[in-house]
């Protein structure tokens, strides 16, 4: 790998910059893996190591996606698919834990238990039971996800991924042309392609509607009967374009990290901040949508009490309200993003 | 009664203007009463006649409240109390009908049944059952309110009210001083007192919070256990100051109608429009709050299915969302009202 030290930013090749970024991320990946191995019975350390592992895995996969033409695509396409499998498998445990925390928080918020209510107030029987039901269901899901993650980390499939990442850490398989192209031209061009895909996907969102506060759009299918057993629920269909944009914002953020590696001062520093805000609004959108779905799914548990079902209905609507609120927030961040010079 | 014709607006006395307005409203009241008597078996005509009756009753009571010092208070205080009883009793039937229509509309909106969903979609079993339950409960309440209204209209108590209104229609019992005071001074001063009461009541509202979209405040007690059997539910306590402002906005509107009677061009024509918008936002606030309470109350029906309770929970949360939305809307109207020159 060509060391960047001593090479002026303007003269750096696309291969140099991309290699430098991937090298750093691959090193992080391997370090997190070592941390995980050393964490032993410390669950907190293990969780943190897995979080860091996913963090690098997502960045490597994202970067290989955006800057694909600069790489040895046969080799990197395969690694990318494996990294997506890995971060999906490793992310599930955290997702269930976060979902439970979100729903538990909502139950307490909806009980006005902020200390302001008179003594004797608190959760209704229904809310307490709904909380216990969600606790049971999501803890079970989390435990299963934990086992699946451990199994994945011990598998031959994972060891092959780690071997490939070790290759990245020493020598990134590049397309020969990448060593000739100037970084500030080739990288910017590919980042711009992601930018365009993102802009097109945002264009397809109902932003005018989402920008009117209290449009009540996100709950519009809250009581819709599913049209067919094999069709996704109407709410899922409504959310899909937003999830798509969320993934593209993330890609764009990783693309930007590579560009920032060039160290060119012409980059607008507020761009990264705004991309991060946009991503956070859409992360909240996804989290709320999944929490709403978990409440709806818990309400389908056989033989629950009506009071429990009632509380789950309120919880579902509350989280869809959060979905709507996140769309509104994203719309405002996006306005600032595109209005930026 | 002094005729206003031929009297220049600047020279008109407070007694003149107030009498003229009350005379017109009392005449309307008696005309609506006659219409109701003539409506026979035509339910639509009878409903419209009752609506007009309530309309005049509210205006007479409101005007007697704001301009009380200009009247013979012993006589008008008694009439005012009776008019409040009357419009309350007559308004209930309409309120239940409107509540049912609002909840039915919400159920359909929440089922996405706007023709956009694929065929086969529609209300879930729970939503359909919740709709049937609300239909049953609110229709029963409405029928009872209808009987109570008919009974009231046939009572000796009502005939005494009608006799008093007939007095207003011929000669308004005024305080002797009202015949000396200039309208544009005395009326404006009393309207200004109502204005101040309104401003103080709005000051006490959490408008800064309500002005942030998606503050999720209105649902904050959606799952709160009631603290004591005799205490009003937390949501009712939270809504009370808004209902108080709603009543003051209405008083202020009626006070303005009397001022407009003077025909002075200095009145800002947009003021009435804005007061109307403010009132409409707060009417929506009340309607949504009462619909939410009706959904919560239906959910307490013994032996309902969990799916029904779930749908009622969603409905409750949706209507509390509307409550929040109305507060936001009121905040914006109020900002324009106070920013007006």
């Amino acid at each position: 790998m060509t060391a960047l030290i001593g090479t002026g930013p303007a003269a750096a090749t696309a291969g140099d910059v991309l290699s430098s970024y991937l090298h750093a991320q691959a090193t992080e990946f391997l370090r997190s893996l070592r941390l995980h191995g050393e964490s032993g019975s410390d669950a907190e350390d293990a969780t943190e190591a897995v979080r860091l592992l996913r963090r690098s895995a997502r960045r490597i996969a994202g970067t290989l996606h955006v800057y694909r033409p600069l790489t040895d695509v046969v080799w990197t396409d395969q690694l990318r698919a494996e990294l997506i499998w890995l971060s999906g498998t490793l992310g599930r445990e955290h997702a269930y834990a976060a979902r439970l925390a979100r729903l538990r928080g909502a139950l307490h918020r909806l009980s006005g238990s902020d200390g302001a209510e008179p003594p004797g107030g608190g959760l209704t029987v229904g809310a307490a039971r709904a909380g216990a039901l969600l606790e049971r269901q999501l803890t079970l899901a989390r435990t299963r996800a934990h086992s699946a993650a451990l199994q994945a980390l011990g598998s031959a499939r994972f060891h092959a991924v780690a071997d490939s990442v070790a290759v990245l850490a020493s020598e990134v398989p590049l397309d020969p042309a990448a060593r000739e192209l100037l970084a500030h031209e080739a990288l910017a061009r590919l980042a711009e392609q992601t930018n365009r895909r993102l802009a097109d996907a945002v264009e397809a969102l109902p932003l005018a509607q989402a920008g009117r506060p209290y449009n009540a759009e996100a709950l519009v299918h809250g009581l819709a009967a599913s049209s067919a057993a094999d069709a996704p629920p109407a709410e899922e269909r409504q959310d899909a374009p937003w999830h798509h944009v969320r993934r593209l914002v993330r890609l764009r953020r990783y693309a930007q990290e590579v560009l920032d590696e060039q160290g060119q001062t012409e980059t607008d520093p507020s761009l990264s901040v705004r991309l991060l805000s946009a991503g956070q609004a859409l992360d909240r959108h996804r989290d709320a949508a999944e929490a709403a779905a978990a409440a709806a799914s818990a309400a389908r548990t056989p033989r629950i009490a009506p009071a429990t079902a009632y509380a789950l209905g309120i919880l579902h609507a509350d989280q869809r309200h959060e979905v709507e609120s996140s769309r509104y927030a994203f719309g405002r961040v996006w306005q600032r993003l595109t209005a930026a010079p």
Side-chain angles (χ1 to χ4, degrees), chain A:
Chain A
M1 199 188 74
T2 316
L4 264 183
I5 301 138
T7 319
T13 71
D16 290 341
V17 175
L18 186 59
S19 289
S20 164
Y21 181 83
L22 284 171
H23 175 77
Q25 292 300 331
T27 306
E28 273 301 304
F29 183 100
L30 298 171
R31 201 174 67 87
S32 310
L33 186 57
R34 208 165 47 244
L35 279 177
H36 188 264
E38 291 163 359
S39 64
S41 60
D42 189 325
E44 215 167 290
D45 281 4
T47 302
E48 177 62 7
V50 167
R51 191 184 70 77
L52 292 171
L53 207 57
R54 281 167 45 223
R55 189 176 187 278
S56 330
R58 280 199 311 266
R59 277 171 170 71
I60 296 169
T63 306
L64 293 178
H65 188 155
V66 173
Y67 300 108
R68 182 175 181 274
L70 300 175
T71 68
D72 172 352
V73 297
V74 175
W75 192 85
T76 58
D77 279 359
Q78 217 238 320
L79 173 59
R80 185 152 60 91
E82 290 301 281
L83 287 170
I84 290 168
W85 158 75
L86 181 68
S87 64
T89 307
L90 296 185
R92 229 152 277 150
E93 182 186 358
H94 169 75
Y96 285 121
R99 201 166 305 159
L100 180 57
R102 165 176 273 273
L103 286 164
R104 212 190 272 132
L107 276 173
H108 280 277
R109 177 167 46 76
L110 294 173
S111 312
S113 52
D114 53 350
E117 95 276 27
L123 288 178
T124 58
V125 174
R129 284 195 189 170
L133 178 61
L134 289 165
E135 189 97 33
R136 216 156 48 235
Q137 295 186 339
L138 290 171
T139 303
L140 179 65
R142 183 190 171 172
T143 306
R144 284 189 181 144
H146 180 73
S147 306
L150 282 187
Q151 210 175 343
L153 287 174
S155 68
R157 185 173 178 185
F158 174 72
H159 288 297
V161 177
D163 286 348
S164 296
V165 173
V167 170
L168 278 191
S170 62
E171 178 77 48
V172 178
L174 292 175
D175 182 82
R179 305 203 181 280
E180 313 295 323
L181 296 166
L182 282 177
H184 68 96
E185 287 173 7
L187 296 176
R189 197 172 54 242
L190 291 169
E192 182 51 32
Q193 279 179 15
T194 304
N195 234 6
R196 264 203 302 278
R197 281 183 62 202
L198 172 58
D200 288 349
V202 172
E203 192 74 32
L205 294 177
L207 274 192
Q209 191 176 47
R212 278 187 294 108
Y214 299 109
N215 55 73
E217 196 55 31
L219 194 56
V220 103
H221 299 290
L223 288 172
S226 52
S227 47
D230 55 347
E235 285 185 343
E236 231 169 77
R237 286 201 306 274
Q238 193 199 64
D239 297 341
W242 298 87
H243 295 329
H244 179 55
V245 169
R246 186 184 70 80
R247 285 184 292 265
L248 286 171
V249 166
R250 205 169 63 181
L251 273 189
R252 182 64 188 81
R253 272 180 53 221
Y254 299 157
Q256 189 61 38
E257 288 185 7
V258 176
L259 293 184
D260 290 347
E261 189 88 348
Q262 286 180 260
Q264 292 186 343
T265 49
E266 66 195 71
T267 316
D268 178 8
S270 71
L271 175 68
S272 304
V273 176
R274 284 175 180 151
L275 277 173
L276 191 64
S277 302
Q280 282 168 342
L282 293 174
D283 283 351
R284 188 159 68 93
H285 178 271
R286 179 208 45 197
D287 292 348
E290 289 180 347
S297 152
R300 286 190 294 270
T301 309
R303 285 181 303 280
I304 56 171
T308 311
Y310 176 73
L312 289 168
I314 290 195
L315 207 50
H316 176 85
D318 173 69
Q319 291 301 305
R320 292 303 300 178
H321 189 177
E322 276 271 304
V323 165
E324 191 185 309
S325 159
S326 318
R327 292 179 187 171
Y328 175 77
F330 171 77
R332 291 173 62 100
V333 173
W334 185 256
Q335 238 174 8
R336 285 201 297 276
L337 251 173
T338 47

